[in-house]
Amino acid sequence: MTEAWRDATQPVAERVADLMARMSLREKVAQMYGAWLHVADAADGDLPQVAPHQNDQAPDPIDWPELVRHGLGQITRLYGSAPIEPLAGARRVADLQRQIVAGGRFGIPAIVHEECLTGLAAWQAPIFPTPLAWGASFDPRLVERMAAHIGATMARLGIQQGLAPVLDVVRDLRWGRVEETIGEDPHLVGTIGAAYVRGLQSAGVVATLKHFVGYSASRAGRNLAPVSIGPRELADVLLPPFEMALRAGARSVMNNYTDIDGVPVAADPTLLTELLRDRLGFDGTVVSDYFAIAFLESLHGVAADRAAAAANALRAGIDVELPGVNCYGGPLLKALEAGDVDEALIDRAVARVLRQKFELGLLDPGFAAEPAYLAAPSPLDDAEARDIARRLAERSIVLLHNESALPLRPGARLAVVGPGAHRPDALFGCYSFPRHVGIHHEGLPLGVDTPSIVDALGAEFEVEYAQGCPVLGGSDEDIAAAAATAARADVCVAVLGDLAGLFGTGTSGEGCDARDLRLPGRQEELLEALLATGTPVVLVVLAGRPYELSRQIERLAAAVCTFFPGEEGAAALAGVLSGRVNPSGRLPVGFPGEGSSQPSTYLAAPLGRRSEVSTVDPSALFPFGHGLSYAGAEWGTVSLHSPDGWATDGEIELTVPLRNDSDREVSTVVQLYAHDPVAQVARPVRQLLAAPRVDLAPGESRTLVVTLHADLLSYTGRDGRRIVEPGDVELLVARSSTDVHTALPVPVVGAPRTVGAARRLHPTFTLLP
């Protein structure tokens, strides 16, 4: 008779229970950690220090036959830790999985996981724009298509779990990881993040939401600094994107590294169990951020040793320790023997892990250790990837300012200046393979064909290039030489901003926080020297965060922003500058105003706005949602269909006529904000409810219909419960958070309502002829 756990026709819960009843305690614990073989196998001195604490927290050398005799939960970053050809990586996956299956009594394969934020972080895999560029696109459908391609690539290579998307909402532009976020608005972050989850998981790959919750609110924008926020900011700003992505079906969650009000999230059952599971209904796996459990002892000081750290994390709700076994092996067993942890908590975690493995088909009779790639190897960076990368890059480029300098006239002689203009890898984010791992392997090719901005512009214009200065540092002589180059040109294109990296290897990225929001190094000096020539200067901000441009903006002929646009970014940018592409990106984060160096987003209550009682003006130079085009849609008279008011448990409908009178395709983002003038607590002056993107062919007219449920007005009241309450609100149909087309007063009527995790999170859109 076939054992129930081997029978794929049986319910997953019964298969899990049957298998667990047969497993020893040691075999169960083995499912709760990963193995980072690249780290474990490296000889002393051979392993690059990619991240602080990586090597000092690395597990002891692995006795592989002994390890797999008990089983193994996960294999960590086999493709993404060092350069490896895809075919060799697939063979390595097959070999390891065969050994794992053969080594244990039950033949349980491991889950292989990888980073996949800007595409699979593996050598020769396509490199897409950063998440901040996804936000700038305001295009969830395109992001979903991108994620589906990433997931399909991972599945072919034998990878079952991806560590993305990042759903942290920007709170301070100085934070290095702004480039990894989608923006400063929770609705935008949640909408785009949920689309990524749907796309990745459509390929059978588990999406992992990062970093639950509050990571981006660290003090002074310093990475892994303490977080001091109230429960209302957490509930109304930082949590909604996770709710939206969980509603999209996300199967894994990764904890936030930091402490919130003194309690490390990795040891907080209030967040990881009561909130995430009991209130939000999540039933997947919680995986630790790398070394987060060991950090409870070494960084946070809330555990005396690794056994105590393991007990704290397990009680909080972390099911799997990544990247290797520091605490969930021997130390956890020690805590169990000492009575510091209940064996039932081990069973709770293992049941979740095994359930996921059953759902992935790893324990079905037809499971093959060999990735599908071995049977049909082909380039990872295929034509479809290039098409997606180009479209997403084009739709994410934001035209900030234009004094009729753009598009560039045909035949113009260009001086192209700046540290990012000639470097293809300047187009990549910090979690791309070249900037994450490749920089530690001198002479390694990028792995994907990536023209530089100089190359792309040189294909359409006469170009003379001068660096001017590096991202950091530089000399007076080089700045003067660049100014001389600019003086000889019809137009100077200045490409300034960041180089992505990790922990000091760049000016943007994890651990690369900014002291202030001026352009890094001597780049502002370079810009001033270029402006002094009298040649029109088009500024291209190629960066991972917005910078303060108020001192130069009125003297610039034009300004364009692109947030690390990936392998097709240079071609997309050349298309925008030449006019072949009509720019349509919108800012997912505002550009700071004069002198701004403090945290501020558009989501500010009245006291967070400019006032006469402070000399500091937090107003943005370019606000959230801003973006210009060469040709745009005409917006007609907005109609509101709510004759009896907006019921606290009902819907209203708006119609926005849109028309394209130009001879080219246009794309517009219709932004709907709510203003709640009187509430129980201080509320943002305005907050985004919807932002559909509408494409119109030349001469085309369409009517956009937007349906909004009153749940979208909900907020956390004084007693900590989320409520929808009656009263007068104002709906703003706008081109940005400050450029309002139509303001519509709406009475909200009916009894106050308490709403929870089951509330409506999304508006609905219809396009009529």
Side-chain angles (χ1 to χ4, degrees):
M1 181 178 177
T2 302
E3 296 167 340
W5 71 272
R6 298 183 186 273
D7 185 353
T9 67
Q10 296 298 311
V12 168
E14 293 183 15
R15 297 179 74 188
V16 169
D18 181 64
L19 179 55
M20 287 185 62
R22 302 170 188 274
M23 297 172 73
S24 68
L25 178 61
R26 185 67 186 84
E27 288 168 329
K28 291 177 181 178
V29 169
Q31 294 297 314
M32 297 169 58
Y33 51 73
W36 199 356
L37 299 178
H38 175 67
V39 173
D41 293 345
D44 289 344
D46 288 347
L47 184 67
Q49 181 76 13
V50 175
H53 311 294
Q54 171 187 291
N55 292 1
D56 57 288
Q57 292 291 352
D60 294 332
I62 289 175
D63 181 342
W64 180 252
E66 177 63 17
L67 185 74
V68 299
R69 185 170 68 86
H70 304 289
L72 182 63
Q74 297 224 357
I75 297 172
T76 292
R77 299 198 65 188
L78 189 145
Y79 292 92
S81 297
I84 186 171
E85 295 272 359
L87 192 59
R91 288 172 179 151
R92 179 71 165 144
V93 167
D95 183 50
L96 290 175
Q97 290 285 35
R98 280 192 291 264
Q99 293 179 47
I100 293 166
V101 169
R105 286 197 301 149
F106 301 102
I108 304 172
I111 289 175
V112 181
H113 77 259
E114 290 287 350
E115 299 283 1
C116 56
L117 193 62
T118 57
L120 172 62
W123 194 43
Q124 301 182 10
I127 301 171
F128 297 100
T130 56
L132 202 57
W134 311 348
S137 78
F138 279 75
D139 194 337
R141 289 184 179 179
L142 187 53
V143 170
E144 184 171 345
R145 183 183 167 203
M146 175 197 71
H149 189 282
I150 295 170
T153 300
M154 296 172 77
R156 289 174 62 212
L157 293 170
I159 303 164
Q160 293 85 25
Q161 183 165 0
L163 304 187
V166 171
L167 298 179
D168 300 304
V169 178
V170 174
R171 304 302 285 160
D172 189 328
L173 293 172
R174 295 172 295 180
W175 191 46
R177 303 191 80 166
V178 166
E179 66 168 79
E180 298 179 53
T181 73
I182 297 168
E184 68 181 54
D185 177 82
H187 176 78
L188 175 64
V189 175
T191 299
I192 299 290
Y196 182 96
V197 168
R198 288 192 299 270
L200 195 76
Q201 295 198 161
S202 70
V205 174
V206 172
T208 306
L209 310 184
K210 299 160 62 171
H211 305 84
F212 192 82
V213 60
Y215 188 31
S216 58
S218 55
R219 291 180 191 164
R222 293 180 59 248
N223 191 49
L224 226 169
V227 173
S228 300
I229 57 174
R232 190 165 289 102
E233 181 177 351
L234 189 145
D236 289 355
V237 178
L238 301 173
L239 186 61
F242 290 93
E243 295 182 80
M244 296 167 79
L246 290 173
R247 193 81 65 85
R251 300 302 299 141
S252 190
V253 169
M254 178 178 277
N255 70 283
N256 164 14
Y257 270 135
T258 70
D259 70 79
I260 299 180
D261 194 25
V263 181
V265 173
D268 191 351
T270 302
L271 290 177
L272 297 183
T273 296
E274 294 175 23
L275 173 58
L276 179 60
R277 295 192 183 278
D278 298 343
R279 281 178 47 195
L280 299 183
F282 177 64
D283 62 358
T285 57
V286 175
V287 301
S288 76
D289 207 339
Y290 284 16
F291 311 116
I293 300 176
F295 286 167
L296 295 177
E297 175 200 8
S298 61
L299 296 186
H300 292 293
V302 298
D305 54 27
R306 289 187 173 183
N312 281 335
L314 187 61
R315 282 194 293 265
I318 292 180
D319 305 310
V320 179
E321 180 181 21
L322 297 180
V325 54
N326 293 83
C327 302
Y328 270 15
L332 178 57
L333 293 171
K334 178 181 175 183
L336 183 65
E337 292 171 3
D340 295 331
V341 65
D342 190 336
E343 187 173 347
L345 294 178
I346 292 175
D347 286 345
R348 180 181 73 174
V350 174
R352 293 166 181 164
V353 172
L354 292 177
R355 175 183 175 183
Q356 194 156 89
K357 290 189 173 186
F358 278 117
E359 290 172 343
L360 288 167
L362 298 184
L363 287 160
D364 288 351
F367 171 76
E370 295 77 15
Y373 189 83
L374 291 177
S378 60
L380 303 181
D381 192 23
D382 57 20
E384 183 185 6
R386 304 299 299 206
D387 179 65
I388 296 168
R390 173 77 72 91
R391 289 173 182 270
L392 187 53
E394 289 175 346
R395 288 169 89 84
S396 69
I397 294 172
V398 183
L399 178 59
L400 299 172
H401 170 75
N402 191 18
E403 296 289 345
S404 302
L406 294 178
L408 298 169
R409 66 172 177 81
R413 293 177 298 114
L414 304 183
V416 181
V417 175
H422 74 300
R423 295 188 61 155
D425 65 339
L427 301 165
F428 302 154
C430 74
Y431 265 76
S432 66
F433 188 87
R435 298 303 307 163
H436 196 93
V437 176
I439 59 172
H440 300 288
H441 298 268
E442 188 175 352
L444 180 74
L446 291 181
V448 293
D449 180 25
T450 307
S452 71
I453 292 172
V454 169
D455 295 333
L457 287 174
E460 300 189 48
F461 299 93
E462 179 185 340
V463 166
E464 185 178 1
Y465 167 70
Q467 183 187 53
C469 65
V471 172
L472 296 175
S475 68
D476 292 347
E477 293 78 11
D478 287 344
I479 291 175
T485 300
R488 294 190 290 270
D490 297 325
V491 177
C492 176
V493 177
V495 183
L496 306 179
D498 288 314
L499 183 65
L502 280 81
F503 307 105
T505 60
T507 55
S508 172
E510 185 173 359
C512 298
D513 308 318
R515 292 180 177 88
D516 59 46
L517 294 175
R518 292 196 174 202
L519 287 165
R522 301 188 67 180
Q523 293 182 78
E524 188 170 341
E525 292 179 57
L526 172 61
L527 182 57
E528 288 289 351
L530 299 175
L531 288 166
T533 66
T535 299
V537 176
V538 174
L539 173 63
V540 175
V541 180
L542 173 61
R545 64 167 67 81
Y547 283 104
E548 206 261 274
L549 306 175
S550 63
R551 288 170 295 281
Q552 294 83 30
I553 194 65
E554 295 302 326
R555 291 177 285 151
L556 290 170
V560 171
C561 175
T562 180
F563 297 113
F564 296 136
E567 65 187 22
E568 285 285 336
L573 181 63
V576 167
L577 296 183
S578 69
R580 288 184 291 103
V581 175
N582 187 19
S584 61
R586 301 293 185 265
L587 286 179
V589 283
F591 266 67
E594 182 179 1
S596 294
S597 62
Q598 299 180 357
S600 179
T601 74
Y602 94 95
L603 284 174
L607 291 184
R609 299 280 177 130
R610 181 178 182 178
S611 72
E612 297 178 355
V613 299
S614 174
T615 56
V616 175
D617 182 0
S619 302
L621 177 64
F622 298 114
F624 173 85
H626 171 75
L628 307 176
S629 298
Y630 300 144
E634 296 295 324
W635 295 16
T637 302
V638 178
S639 300
L640 176 64
H641 305 279
S642 59
D644 300 318
W646 192 353
T648 56
D649 61 352
E651 298 177 334
I652 61 167
E653 188 176 273
L654 292 91
T655 56
V656 185
L658 302 169
R659 188 178 73 253
N660 178 11
D661 292 335
S662 76
D663 60 357
R664 63 187 305 171
E665 181 179 293
V666 304
S667 187
T668 191
V669 179
V670 180
Q671 302 168 44
L672 281 78
Y673 297 86
H675 168 51
D676 187 356
V678 180
Q680 291 184 12
V681 299
R683 301 275 294 127
V685 172
R686 59 192 56 168
Q687 184 163 359
L688 188 69
L689 301 184
R693 179 187 269 270
V694 180
D695 297 330
L696 297 171
E700 184 179 16
S701 296
R702 303 292 295 271
T703 297
L704 172 68
V705 181
V706 183
T707 304
L708 303 169
H709 194 277
D711 285 358
L712 295 170
L713 297 174
S714 66
Y715 68 92
T716 303
R718 290 187 183 183
D719 62 0
R721 293 184 299 171
R722 181 173 288 277
I723 58 171
V724 180
E725 58 183 354
D728 292 328
V729 300
E730 192 175 39
L731 289 179
L732 309 172
V733 181
R735 293 184 172 89
S736 78
S737 57
T738 62
D739 184 2
V740 176
H741 173 268
T742 303
L744 300 166
V746 184
V748 180
V749 298
R753 292 175 56 236
T754 299
V755 299
R759 70 188 185 280
R760 300 276 189 95
L761 295 171
H762 296 276
T764 58
F765 314 123
T766 306
L767 272 178
L768 302 178

